[in-house]
């Protein structure tokens, strides 16, 4: 063999090994940072939904996710957050069906000290905690009617009042909602506000 030719072959081998290692590192980094990596699908319809999530994420639009339980609505909601300009802030989720009606208002809007029996300190609600980030309201179809009006006011004014408070607090939050229920049927039954539906379903 010729020493010069062997030198060229060895040099190329090292460069190829470096490129392959760099490629593996980039692929691993990309896989770990994919916001929708919790959703596995080959279905063309779901792939289309994922592409829509990627397009909508950078906007400020309020998004309503509809689908049966277990179809990945929260994964899509987290993907919307991670792909948005708000990803450095908090993603706050609350299940509207899992919290008793008498506690849900306090969970969402917070309360002042002494606002009711047992309110021994000021507590921030989920909306205020999510300031600057994303608020995910799961099972929005189960939201009590009294709170529907209060949520609608927040979406219109982007301010809240804690229970027992007098001060209006400005909150900048992206709202994403999800439900397995047919909201149009609930509207027809009179159990869900039509104006709230249109506020929540910009996308």
């Amino acid at each position: 063999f010729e020493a010069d030719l062997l030198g060229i072959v060895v040099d190329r081998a090292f460069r190829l090994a470096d490129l392959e290692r760099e490629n593996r590192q980039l692929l691993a980094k990309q896989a770990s940072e994919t916001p929708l990596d919790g959703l596995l699908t080959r279905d063309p319809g779901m792939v289309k939904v994922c592409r829509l999530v990627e397009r909508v994420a950078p906007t400020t639009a309020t998004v309503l996710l509809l689908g049966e339980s277990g179809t990945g609505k929260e994964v899509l909601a987290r993907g919307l957050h991670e792909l948005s300009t708000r990803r450095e802030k908090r993603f706050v989720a609350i299940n509207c069906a899992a919290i008793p009606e008498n506690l849900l208002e306090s969970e969402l809007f917070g309360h002042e000290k002494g606002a009711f029996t047992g309110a021994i300190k000021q507590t921030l609600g989920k909306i205020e905690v999510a300031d600057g980030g994303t608020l995910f309201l799961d099972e929005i179809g189960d939201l009590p009617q009294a709170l529907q009006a209060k949520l609608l006011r927040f979406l219109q004014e982007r301010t809240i009042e804690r229970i027992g408070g007098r001060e209006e607090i400005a909150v900048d939050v992206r709202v994403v909602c999800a439900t397995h229920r047919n909201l149009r049927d609930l509207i027809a039954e009179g159990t869900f506000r039509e104006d709230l539906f249109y506020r929540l379903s910009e996308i």
Side-chain angles (χ1 to χ4, degrees), residues 58-182:
T59 72
T60 58
T62 301
V63 178
L64 177 62
L65 301 165
L66 303 172
E68 296 300 319
S69 297
T71 52
K73 297 188 293 296
E74 185 164 350
V75 173
L76 292 175
R78 287 185 183 277
L80 280 164
H81 175 72
E82 292 298 327
L83 289 165
S84 77
T85 55
R86 299 172 179 267
R87 61 183 165 273
E88 301 300 326
K89 300 290 185 178
R90 294 186 68 171
F91 175 88
V92 178
I94 184 167
N95 187 323
C96 299
I99 300 171
E101 183 175 343
N102 58 331
L103 297 178
L104 187 55
E105 183 178 8
S106 177
E107 279 292 308
L108 282 171
F109 297 95
H111 61 260
E112 297 290 353
K113 180 179 178 181
F116 51 82
T117 305
I120 56 173
K121 63 176 183 172
Q122 183 190 75
T123 302
L124 304 186
K126 298 286 189 184
I127 294 173
E128 205 172 342
V129 169
D131 190 28
T134 302
L135 175 70
F136 176 52
L137 299 173
D138 199 8
E139 300 303 347
I140 192 70
D142 293 294
L143 191 69
Q145 280 197 300
L147 284 182
Q148 290 178 30
K150 197 164 182 180
L151 180 62
L152 177 63
R153 178 172 170 75
F154 161 67
L155 291 170
Q156 291 170 335
E157 307 296 332
R158 295 294 169 166
T159 60
I160 61 164
E161 282 184 25
R162 298 188 197 111
I163 299 172
R166 298 283 182 270
E167 180 186 356
E168 287 195 342
I169 302 160
V171 182
D172 171 29
V173 66
R174 172 57 161 320
V175 177
V176 179
C177 302
T179 184
H180 70 282
R181 304 184 70 180
N182 187 323

